[in-house]
Amino acid sequence: MIIFRYLCRELLFATLAVSAVLMLMVMSGRFVKYLAEAAAGDLSANILFSLIGYRMPSFLELVLPLGLFVGILLAYGRLYIESEMTVLHACGFSERRLLMYTLAPAFMVALVVASMSLYFSPTGMERSSGLLTADKSRSEFDHLVPKKFVATEGNRAVYYADSLSKDKSTMHEVFLAELGSSSAETEADQQIVILAREGVQEIDPDTGLRYLVLRDGYRYEGVPGQRDYRLMKFTSYEVQLEVQQKRSNWGDRMEATSTLDLWRSDMPQERAFLHWRFSLPVLVMVVAVLAVPLSRTNPRQGRYAKMMPAVLLYITYLVILQGVRGAIEDGKIGNPAAIWLVHPPFLILGLILLGGGNWRRRPKRPSAEQSGGSADA
């Protein structure tokens, strides 16, 4: 038990450290993407951290298997470099026992990955999708950034506000340019430019439509390059605002679908996604078997000698798994259960790398009394 606790502590510590670094890299990249959208006015800044929190389980389900794999390589590689593993093997500690001790913490990680992939990840994706839907259903003017020209959806208009009120309900010194209908005489597009002292949003209680109400301004309409411009001064001018439509993404919908709904579905694409979710915990156990023999390191070679080949093997495993899932989704493979055929070859490879001689339990050395008795005989 002392050796078991020692190996588990070293392994879990390395796994947590690697997973934390990988999560920081993934989440920082995603956060930068959301931050750029918020700076461009396409996303509300007050939902950034909520989106990151809801997306975290979907990041963990892919980061933890790699973190465990690299953690085993680092932890056991250190034991080989410092000759601790050599001492254990000299005392009769076989590769089989090392594998069994490794599978215990790997099973704990597999349970965490299973909970993420089967429940927390689809739940988080559903809630993040709800946040994005509510945010995208708002008008473009809700994401207005002062002193910046912003194009509406479809590039049908460009608007600008010099400043906003503290509650962001009133825009001051508003500029709005929109593309009007074609002129019958010139067959050119008319341009409409509106300048107003302030603008506010109002919602029609009967229809629910949004309107931008501009006050104290001028409206210019005409074709650029011609003189027949029409000028109109107004006290109040209303412009109907278009509501952005959320772009549907098939992959996001699949990730947000609950495991129970996927189980009840007969569609090959959804069945493939269901098998993918159940494959992730199995992936954890298989990579644990692969990492044990790959962690063997010669002290003369260095601690990171086998790190690159091992990571390439893991990437190959994951790419093949995702490729089979993509082939099932595209209809190239008819049976969704074909994704399970990817695991056995890598499991067999891990058992082969363990080696027949190191896999068998080493015979116990005879005791002093037994050796003395045989000598007397």
Side-chain angles (χ1 to χ4, degrees):
M1 292 301 298
I2 295 177
I3 298 176
F4 175 72
R5 290 197 298 267
Y6 176 67
L7 293 177
C8 287
R9 183 174 65 251
E10 292 292 324
L11 178 57
L12 292 178
F13 178 78
T15 300
L16 291 177
V18 174
S19 300
V21 173
L22 294 176
M23 280 294 296
L24 183 61
M25 296 172 58
V26 174
M27 292 180 61
S28 60
R30 180 68 64 170
F31 184 75
V32 168
K33 177 183 177 182
Y34 288 153
L35 196 62
E37 293 182 2
D42 298 331
L43 192 66
S44 297
N46 55 359
I47 66 171
L48 291 180
F49 292 100
S50 298
L51 287 177
I52 291 295
Y54 289 141
R55 292 299 303 271
M56 189 178 297
S58 61
F59 300 152
L60 282 174
E61 68 180 16
L62 295 177
V63 166
L64 285 179
L66 179 57
L68 175 67
F69 184 73
V70 178
I72 294 175
L73 296 177
L74 293 177
Y76 290 173
R78 185 190 67 81
L79 296 181
Y80 278 105
I81 291 296
E82 298 179 1
S83 300
E84 294 184 30
M85 197 67 73
T86 304
V87 174
L88 289 176
H89 290 327
C91 296
F93 192 83
S94 64
E95 288 281 348
R96 181 176 63 179
R97 181 174 296 182
L98 177 62
L99 177 61
M100 296 304 172
Y101 285 3
T102 306
L103 291 180
F107 183 73
M108 297 171 54
V109 176
L111 290 180
V112 175
V113 172
S115 64
M116 295 295 172
S117 62
L118 298 178
Y119 178 73
F120 290 104
S121 180
T123 302
M125 285 298 299
E126 181 182 4
R127 294 183 179 180
S128 65
S129 178
L131 277 179
L132 291 175
T133 301
D135 187 71
K136 291 296 183 181
S137 63
R138 301 167 63 188
S139 171
E140 296 95 343
F141 290 90
D142 292 323
H143 307 303
L144 179 65
V145 179
K147 299 183 182 298
K148 182 177 180 181
F149 289 92
V150 180
T152 61
E153 186 178 15
N155 296 324
R156 298 184 60 183
V158 177
Y159 56 92
Y160 171 92
D162 185 70
S163 62
L164 296 175
S165 59
K166 293 183 178 180
D167 57 357
K168 296 184 178 182
S169 61
T170 304
M171 297 175 286
H172 303 288
E173 303 299 331
V174 182
F175 168 86
L176 176 64
E178 58 181 359
L179 182 63
S181 59
S182 298
S183 174
E185 299 178 357
T186 62
E187 296 183 357
D189 291 333
Q190 293 183 341
Q191 299 290 335
I192 300 176
V193 177
I194 300 175
L195 301 176
R197 181 178 57 85
E198 65 177 21
V200 295
Q201 292 188 62
E202 292 185 0
I203 301 177
D204 191 330
D206 298 329
T207 61
L209 298 177
R210 289 175 177 264
Y211 292 90
L212 175 64
V213 180
L214 302 174
R215 300 191 179 100
D216 299 334
Y218 296 89
R219 180 179 185 271
Y220 303 89
E221 180 180 358
V223 179
Q226 299 184 7
R227 300 179 179 179
D228 54 345
Y229 266 82
R230 291 191 297 174
L231 173 62
M232 179 181 67
K233 182 180 180 180
F234 59 84
T235 304
S236 179
Y237 184 87
E238 295 183 358
V239 179
Q240 182 178 346
L241 303 179
E242 295 182 357
V243 178
Q244 290 185 350
Q245 300 295 328
K246 182 179 180 297
R247 296 177 176 88
S248 59
N249 187 292
W250 183 85
D252 293 341
R253 292 201 308 269
M254 286 293 99
E255 292 182 5
T257 305
S258 65
T259 304
L260 184 59
D261 293 337
L262 293 179
W263 185 275
R264 295 171 179 173
S265 176
D266 295 331
M267 296 181 60
Q269 294 85 355
E270 296 183 353
R271 299 295 295 181
F273 212 88
L274 176 66
H275 288 289
W276 164 259
R277 289 183 181 178
F278 281 103
S279 293
L280 291 179
V282 180
L283 172 69
V284 174
M285 305 302 295
V286 175
V287 297
V289 176
L290 283 171
V292 171
L294 292 175
S295 63
R296 297 176 191 155
T297 305
N298 190 337
R300 296 181 180 179
Q301 295 177 346
R303 186 174 179 180
Y304 306 101
K306 296 183 179 180
M307 184 66 67
M308 185 60 66
V311 173
L312 290 177
L313 180 61
Y314 176 86
I315 294 175
T316 302
Y317 184 12
L318 189 61
V319 167
I320 293 176
L321 195 63
Q322 291 181 336
V324 173
R325 190 192 76 174
I328 296 173
E329 293 174 353
D330 295 339
K332 299 179 181 179
I333 299 178
N335 190 359
I339 196 173
W340 293 101
L341 298 177
V342 181
H343 301 291
F346 288 92
L347 177 61
I348 294 174
L349 176 62
L351 297 177
I352 293 175
L353 291 176
L354 283 170
N358 292 327
W359 172 255
R360 293 189 294 268
R361 179 185 294 273
R362 297 189 178 186
K364 294 183 178 180
R365 295 182 177 180
S367 61
E369 295 179 358
Q370 292 176 350
S371 61
S374 59
D376 293 341

